[in-house]
Amino acid sequence: MAQRPRDIPGALTAAGGRTDSTANRADATTDRADPTANRADTATTTAVAPPGAGRSPEPSRTPQTPRTHQPPRTPPTRRAPDTGRPPHGTGSAADVLARYLHQQATEFLRGLRLHGDSGHGAGGAAEEAAEAVRLLRGAARRISGTLHVFRPLAEVPWTDQFRSELAWLTETLGREYACAARLARLRGALHRLSGAAEAGSAAAPAVGAARAGALLERQLTLARTRAHSAALQALGSARFHAVADAVAVLSTDPPLDPSAHDLPAQDALPLLAEQSHRLLLEAVGTLPLAAAGLPYNAEALSHGLADAGVPAAESRQDAPWHQVRLLVRLRRYAQEVLDEQHQTEIEPGLTVRLLNAGQALDRHRDAAEAAAYAAAAARTPRIAPATAYALGVLHADQRYEVEAARFAFGRAWQRMGVAR
Amino acid sequence: MAQRPRDIPGALTAAGGRTDSTANRADATTDRADPTANRADTATTTAVAPPGAGRSPEPSRTPQTPRTHQPPRTPPTRRAPDTGRPPHGTGSAADVLARYLHQQATEFLRGLRLHGDSGHGAGGAAEEAAEAVRLLRGAARRISGTLHVFRPLAEVPWTDQFRSELAWLTETLGREYACAARLARLRGALHRLSGAAEAGSAAAPAVGAARAGALLERQLTLARTRAHSAALQALGSARFHAVADAVAVLSTDPPLDPSAHDLPAQDALPLLAEQSHRLLLEAVGTLPLAAAGLPYNAEALSHGLADAGVPAAESRQDAPWHQVRLLVRLRRYAQEVLDEQHQTEIEPGLTVRLLNAGQALDRHRDAAEAAAYAAAAARTPRIAPATAYALGVLHADQRYEVEAARFAFGRAWQRMGVAR
């Protein structure tokens, strides 16, 4: 098995990038002085603002080891070493990857700029901040994914550490929005379960549902506020600036292996994309798709009451699906690189199907997390039985959403099989 | 719309049948002396024993009006009045109906005999008693259904009152077994939700699930015991004996309209069976089959938390499905009469499909009742939040069973449409 994003150990050291100044290391929470002001294309990274929007796709792997100094990567040493063969120009694997990484770095920096403009998310700028975080996270995921799928062409181990830092960033920025989305999902479910969604229904929800809603609102609002503070703190840290600087440098100096400059794109890139497809197929092969394809198989809730303490059984059951979610996404990014290679969408049908499959698994993840949250909320001390009852209904409802998402993925995957 | 079984008002009066003795009227709970000993074919009705087995398909309509004396039906007055035409013999509608009713009456009396043999259900005879009640109820439903579908050929209003008495009997005898079946269903669901169904799983259920199970066990065992007593009481009543006697007389003297003796079976019976089919189609036409055909439509739980007091919204949603369940059953019995007419199963495919559709709707009814029961149990005062939570999960689980049953019915119904 190839390494998964979450499996990559270590971290980019704060001072290990190309940051010219190390003055704002540590846990600075204030806007730092611009240590990269001497680089035009990274000037925007200095606009530090409240954390932005999105969902948390990969568990962060904040490095546990104390940051150590690494020899700084000296930017311009790796470009097309003289191998006796003339470089392929626009046709080499390195060229294609560089173009794609450049685009993503540009998006990332656009996100940073937008975030700075949003004035810390105050007032109507909250949407702007959310959009900024969406851009930042999307670009970070694509950069990380590309460096993973095309790892044989990348400059390891630096890129592995870099990817772990990108994961930390996307997770940290996304947590606030994940809380908001979870609250919206659970609130919507309670609304629906109260029959309030029906036209002409003016019925107030029952006591239990109202209390459960208030409890979730309180807990998730608190979690969101905490996540907001944590994101603010992270955005002011040297660690964040090191990542932002490294992204900025991607534009001009992609961290690619010298061999990538010699390999024609059409030889190297489809092969590695295909390998990522194979890993995806293998992972999907371990899923219980036959059972999931039968509607109302009641599989997702089969451990709904297994253990009041920890929903470990459900987590175990969900894990392979979460894994496939990540692999679908990697495969989608790989396809984007191939599209970049051909300067056109080469398999639009595949792209759409990957997107659909991924969306089903996003829904799977969201529902699974919401269900676990409802179960956890029911363990709040001193709640009324009616509240606990409503949370039980809510938990089961979200677990059925999990099952429905698996069913939807199965359908999407069938279409994928027909297409290839 | 034709009258539905449950809509028929009035009741057979206790003294209105052909019971020769009225000594054991009222609420006698003891085995009564045999008031019909002078009739050989009804002698078996005197074996009074604990109530038997089955489910309660039709809400009983115990007459609210005080029993009034009706002139007793004088058994042998209606046979083939002289209409100038010779009776069709085996070919008349009356002949076919009489044969079918005779068979069902025989089954009923066999059930009664078996119930007497079971020695009040003590020890290993409990299964025998359950089988006896299954026979009794099945025959009673068929007699009632036949008299309803072929009502224009029956001797109304006597048969209408008789049918209401049969409904009371099936309901009274079935309630005990309905409690047992409901407990088994809820216990099974709790078991499944605790992950205990998994191979090699020795995990004890969580506290909440265990407590919820104990609560349901306690409440449903109590309800079952009460239903048992009520059935015992009913079996000793003059009302019951009047019904049993009336059934016994069916064998020799079916309550049919004189016109039935003149009509050729092939003219009258398929027409009325077709009419019952049309009523079924109309009722199915009002069901939201398009929505139910989309798996995971989350429709059945859309009012799961609507009102903590009464699950009125869910009942309203379920009612048309319950109605169709009864119509499917009537249609099935009508088909049995047509089979009797031709002395062979004339449309085996249709029979199987009606059976499948009916089974899906039985499951729908069972799950709906179990869900309502779980919700009601959650309103027991002073239960722990963990218990209430488990009952909430259980309620939602059973409502999804309701949804799954609707989906299954939709599939079965589609096949029905293709066939006809």
Side-chain angles (χ1 to χ4, degrees), chain A residues 328-343:
Chain A
V328 165
R329 199 166 65 192
L330 284 177
R331 179 65 188 86
R332 191 154 58 83
Y333 297 157
Q335 194 63 24
E336 288 183 6
V337 171
L338 297 186
D339 290 348
E340 177 58 39
Q341 178 194 334
H342 292 89
Q343 299 286 318

Side-chain angles (χ1 to χ4, degrees), chain B residues 14 26 32 37 66 87 96 191 222 237 242 247 267 300 319 348 356 368:
Chain B
R32 61 168 187 168
V96 172
H191 192 75
L222 181 64
S237 70
V247 170
D267 289 356
N356 287 341

